[in-house]
Amino acid sequence: MNFTLIICTYMRPKPLQTLLQSVSKQTVYPNEILIVDGSRNDETKVMLQENPFENLHYFKVDDSERGLTKQRNFGIRNVSETSEIVCFLDDDTILDENYFKNLLETYTIHPNALGVGGFITNEVQWTKITEATKPKKSSFVYDGWFRKESLRFRLRRKFGLLDDTKPCYLPTFAHGRSVSFLPPTDKIYEVELFMGGVSSFRKGVFDTIKFSMYFEGYGLYEDADFTLRVSKIGQLYVNTAAKLEHHHNAAGRPNQYHYGKMVVKNGWHVWRVKYPTPTLKARIKWNATTLFLAVLRFTNIFTAPKKMEAFTESLGRFVAWFSLWFQKRPNRTMSFLRKIYNIFLSERLKETLKELYFNQIRKEKFKRLEGNYHTTFANGIEIVTKLPMYYVVNDIARYETFYSVQKDDIVIDAGANHGHLATFYSKKVGTKGKVYAFEPDKKNITEMKANMALNSDMRNIQIQEELIWDKNTQLDFFEAGTVSSSIHYKPKNAKTILKDAITIDSFYKKEQLQRLDFIKMDIEGAEIEAMDGLVEVLEKFKPNFAIASYHWVNDEQTYKKIEAFFKAKNYPHKTIFYKDGEVITFAGNNIA
């Protein structure tokens, strides 16, 4: 039986290598292995070049194909014509040596099978019922085995929010039991849903059914959606003899707030795939169970060590539940609920919750006083701004990954925007240092001056309204009054303004600089030209750099040409790709 293995991966070269090593030990080996890589760097590609595997084909996808469901559909489009079965594995799994053998035998035993799921062995502890080992009242019992029943299931049963639907089947009000509630009997069980990361399907299934684009990015419950749709046209099975381990890797997963929203919204979507018109009783039980589980997660604030995770996830669940009402019921009831929503989540309350949240997860401390926002850093520096710096502090920390601005330093902040970073650098360099804040957008300059006025002694910041370029000239500048103002791209409603442009080499001579210690740059794609205009500065002062290099110019991300620039100059550099899509190229003698 010819079969294809598809592995969709994102920024996990080491777990992927471990998985492929377990694949290489299989008693039955795939006829082809398709690696669909959505990573923002080449580490996975390099790993595969250094560690070749038989029958492996590597595909690197861009933003248009990135995300679990998109990558799976991409892989399906590239499956060989001769393949009969298509298998999927998460990149953080490790296989028992007979995994594929047992999985594929299921299709022979059950010729009607359209799909077969594998069985994860390392997440739940099961015990076989014997004279010596018997279940407690609080245990979950199934097919001669028992396991610990979690508190949420025990409480749901107590409140009438749990029925006796078999594992891997969806109850009329959803919130059922997953494949982890099947015991390790080595038997084959009929099911209607199973995990996508340990799954397989007949190739013909994909002629009519694809993974839904409703589930973007991380794709929570996309497997339940897909298998429920397949089960409407044929039979699915789980073979508990097809064993593997799942070693959860946190890379690429959403934050807890977004995860909480996904649990509710994606769960609602899957429920309606199986039951498009649920009964009133089922609707009441779905909503009651959803709210109950959100409240239960909220109580983890008091009972679990990761209190902020519990708080933010439960908040995400509540917000998603409210949003479903607004989305689906535009009537008088909705108007009432919207009023309640606005009362409980007013702008003031949202700001209070954000302040509480970020004070818990960040080293910095945030406080709102008299309409302004005070941010105190771990080193004691305090900055006052018109808008909160909840997200800016993360940028500041990233930019200082390899070089931390010192007292008396001379700094260029290219793309200063509202001056948050310039103000921070100003406090660090002191009265003998200097910060040159390059910002050509008039509205942004106004906001920067307003922020500077809220802080004491900002005389060491010098605002420069020129564009930075590879020659001294005049250029059309698309002024939008936002962070998107640019030379290369024209944002919506932007005005075209003729602006002076200057090279950094010319600027240092005009200012008669004797040193230049640090250059931070985020100038919307113009970084490449700016680098060509600072060759003398590079040779004379050898500054440290932190350059936002995630922009796209001429269908290519800017980090590639920036890296090529530094490589040609034999200048130490390193590009870091962050999970949220940010890319920063660092350079200087401090690069490890």
Side-chain angles (χ1 to χ4, degrees):
M1 186 176 287
N2 284 355
F3 73 103
T4 297
L5 170 61
I6 297 176
I7 304 173
C8 302
T9 187
Y10 177 80
M11 308 292 280
R12 294 176 178 173
K14 289 184 178 179
L16 176 62
Q17 182 180 359
T18 303
L19 166 59
L20 289 171
Q21 288 169 345
S22 72
V23 171
S24 67
K25 298 175 183 177
Q26 290 293 294
T27 53
V28 177
Y29 192 80
N31 298 92
E32 64 175 353
I33 302 173
L34 307 184
I35 304 297
V36 185
D37 182 17
S39 300
R40 298 182 184 275
N41 60 28
D42 291 328
E43 291 183 11
T44 298
K45 181 179 180 180
V46 171
M47 181 277 290
L48 293 172
Q49 289 172 341
E50 295 175 350
N51 301 272
F53 293 90
E54 186 180 355
N55 300 342
L56 188 144
H57 305 279
Y58 173 80
F59 300 90
K60 181 73 174 288
V61 297
D62 58 19
D63 285 338
S64 64
E65 299 285 358
R66 184 176 290 118
L68 182 57
T69 54
K70 291 181 179 180
Q71 287 174 235
R72 282 183 177 164
N73 287 334
F74 179 94
I76 291 164
R77 293 195 298 271
N78 287 277
V79 169
S80 168
E81 288 292 331
T82 60
S83 188
E84 301 169 76
I85 304 295
V86 179
C87 302
F88 296 92
L89 287 172
D90 280 351
D91 57 7
D92 50 2
T93 54
I94 301 175
L95 308 183
D96 177 86
E97 64 180 10
N98 290 314
Y99 175 80
F100 286 124
K101 174 180 176 293
N102 292 328
L103 194 77
L104 296 175
E105 281 181 354
T106 316
Y107 290 97
T108 302
I109 298 169
H110 296 283
N112 65 331
L114 292 184
V116 180
F119 185 73
I120 295 171
T121 60
N122 65 316
E123 294 182 344
V124 178
Q125 183 177 349
W126 284 86
T127 304
K128 191 171 185 177
I129 298 175
T130 65
E131 286 297 320
T133 54
K134 295 191 176 183
K136 301 177 181 178
K137 285 186 178 180
S138 59
S139 300
F140 172 74
V141 179
Y142 196 80
D143 202 8
W145 292 68
F146 67 93
R147 54 161 284 182
K148 182 180 179 181
E149 181 80 293
S150 67
L151 176 63
R152 65 174 179 164
F153 279 98
R154 299 201 307 270
L155 289 175
R156 283 178 58 192
R157 185 173 294 281
K158 183 175 181 180
F159 294 125
L161 299 175
L162 184 68
D163 65 12
D164 293 322
T165 302
K166 294 188 295 184
C168 299
Y169 284 86
L170 195 70
T172 56
F173 57 94
H175 302 291
R177 295 183 185 272
S178 67
V179 70
S180 66
F181 286 89
L182 291 177
T185 58
D186 288 349
K187 294 181 181 179
I188 299 171
Y189 293 92
E190 290 188 15
V191 299
E192 68 176 8
L193 52 84
F194 49 67
M195 286 182 59
V198 295
S199 65
S200 68
F201 302 93
R202 291 193 187 274
K203 184 186 172 189
V205 166
F206 302 108
D207 293 337
T208 55
I209 300 178
K210 297 290 189 294
F211 286 96
S212 173
M213 289 295 96
Y214 177 89
F215 304 90
E216 294 187 358
Y218 180 55
L220 184 69
Y221 302 154
E222 97 297 332
D223 45 9
D225 165 80
F226 185 80
T227 51
L228 281 171
R229 286 187 286 130
V230 175
S231 68
K232 290 181 178 181
I233 61 173
Q235 187 58 57
L236 301 179
Y237 297 89
V238 166
N239 189 338
T240 59
K243 298 174 183 177
L244 73 166
E245 296 181 358
H246 189 196
H247 297 272
H248 293 273
N249 189 299
R253 291 195 167 99
N255 65 45
Q256 292 303 120
Y257 174 75
H258 290 294
Y259 177 81
K261 289 181 69 176
M262 291 166 69
V263 166
V264 174
K265 296 196 78 169
N266 292 6
W268 179 90
H269 178 86
V270 169
W271 175 46
R272 289 306 184 90
V273 166
K274 177 68 187 294
Y275 302 105
T277 55
T279 64
L280 177 61
K281 181 179 179 181
R283 291 171 190 261
I284 292 171
K285 292 186 76 171
W286 185 89
N287 283 280
T289 307
T290 299
L291 287 175
F292 169 76
L293 292 174
V295 170
L296 190 63
R297 185 67 174 119
F298 183 81
T299 63
N300 291 153
I301 295 171
F302 312 103
T303 60
K306 296 182 179 180
K307 301 182 185 304
M308 279 311 302
E309 286 191 8
F311 172 74
T312 52
E313 183 184 322
S314 59
L315 179 62
R317 289 180 182 234
F318 285 121
V319 169
W321 183 80
F322 272 110
S323 71
L324 286 175
W325 281 89
F326 300 154
Q327 173 183 314
K328 295 296 177 182
R329 301 190 176 197
N331 51 29
R332 290 183 179 180
T333 303
M334 269 308 304
S335 297
F336 172 75
L337 287 173
R338 189 176 286 110
K339 289 178 182 178
I340 300 298
Y341 177 84
N342 288 332
I343 291 172
F344 281 99
L345 284 175
S346 64
E347 291 303 316
R348 184 64 179 268
L349 180 56
K350 288 177 183 176
E351 286 300 323
T352 301
L353 291 172
K354 283 183 180 179
E355 183 180 306
L356 175 64
Y357 171 67
F358 284 101
N359 273 320
Q360 290 293 327
I361 68 168
R362 298 290 310 182
K363 294 182 293 185
E364 302 84 5
K365 296 302 174 187
F366 306 94
K367 192 172 185 179
R368 188 178 186 184
L369 291 173
E370 299 178 352
N372 296 314
Y373 294 86
H374 295 244
T375 303
T376 304
F377 293 82
N379 57 10
I381 289 176
E382 182 181 17
I383 294 175
V384 186
T385 52
K386 291 175 63 180
L387 296 174
M389 291 181 60
Y390 301 140
Y391 304 101
V392 180
V393 292
N394 196 45
D395 292 334
I396 291 174
R398 286 177 175 179
Y399 284 132
E400 294 204 325
T401 298
F402 292 101
Y403 180 79
S404 180
V405 170
Q406 305 294 312
K407 186 178 181 182
D408 301 338
D409 272 0
I410 306 300
V411 174
I412 286 179
D413 180 4
N417 195 245
H418 291 184
H420 295 143
L421 273 74
T423 303
F424 177 76
Y425 296 146
S426 167
K427 300 269 187 175
K428 293 194 78 176
V429 303
T431 56
K432 293 183 180 180
K434 192 81 172 182
V435 178
Y436 296 96
F438 280 82
E439 177 52 57
D441 188 294
K442 289 183 179 179
K443 184 177 179 182
N444 290 341
I445 291 171
T446 300
E447 295 295 329
M448 177 162 33
K449 289 179 177 178
N451 282 325
M452 289 169 59
L454 297 174
N455 294 270
S456 60
D457 198 8
M458 293 285 100
R459 288 174 293 177
N460 60 357
I461 296 181
Q462 180 173 313
I463 298 175
Q464 299 293 139
E465 298 188 23
E466 302 99 327
L467 301 164
I468 298 177
W469 201 242
D470 58 2
K471 54 181 171 289
N472 298 335
T473 184
Q474 288 188 317
L475 296 169
D476 283 339
F477 175 65
F478 303 123
E479 187 175 75
T482 68
V483 294
S484 300
S485 298
S486 172
I487 299 170
H488 285 293
Y489 331 109
K490 187 172 184 179
K492 187 177 181 181
N493 300 324
K495 297 182 295 183
T496 304
I497 308 293
L498 189 65
K499 299 284 293 188
D500 290 331
I502 190 172
T503 68
I504 291 179
D505 282 342
S506 296
F507 178 76
Y508 99 81
K509 293 172 184 175
K510 185 183 77 169
E511 294 292 319
Q512 299 181 349
L513 300 183
Q514 300 303 308
R515 59 188 285 189
L516 184 51
D517 302 285
F518 181 67
I519 299 175
K520 166 260 166 183
M521 201 179 291
D522 186 357
I523 50 178
E524 300 305 308
E527 294 84 6
I528 296 169
E529 291 84 0
M531 299 303 297
D532 290 334
L534 54 70
V535 175
E536 291 182 42
V537 160
L538 193 75
E539 295 176 355
K540 185 177 181 68
F541 299 126
K542 294 182 171 46
N544 296 280
F545 293 85
I547 304 170
S549 52
Y550 59 88
H551 307 99
W552 288 82
V553 177
N554 297 326
D555 297 323
E556 184 178 61
Q557 274 192 294
T558 51
Y559 78 85
K560 295 181 179 179
K561 287 187 176 177
I562 293 170
E563 284 187 333
F565 173 88
F566 285 124
K567 186 175 182 180
K569 303 296 182 186
N570 198 28
Y571 207 74
H573 62 279
K574 181 181 180 70
T575 298
I576 296 181
F577 300 82
Y578 298 92
K579 296 174 189 174
D580 58 6
E582 177 72 88
V583 183
I584 301 178
T585 300
F586 300 91
N589 291 326
N590 285 355
I591 301 298

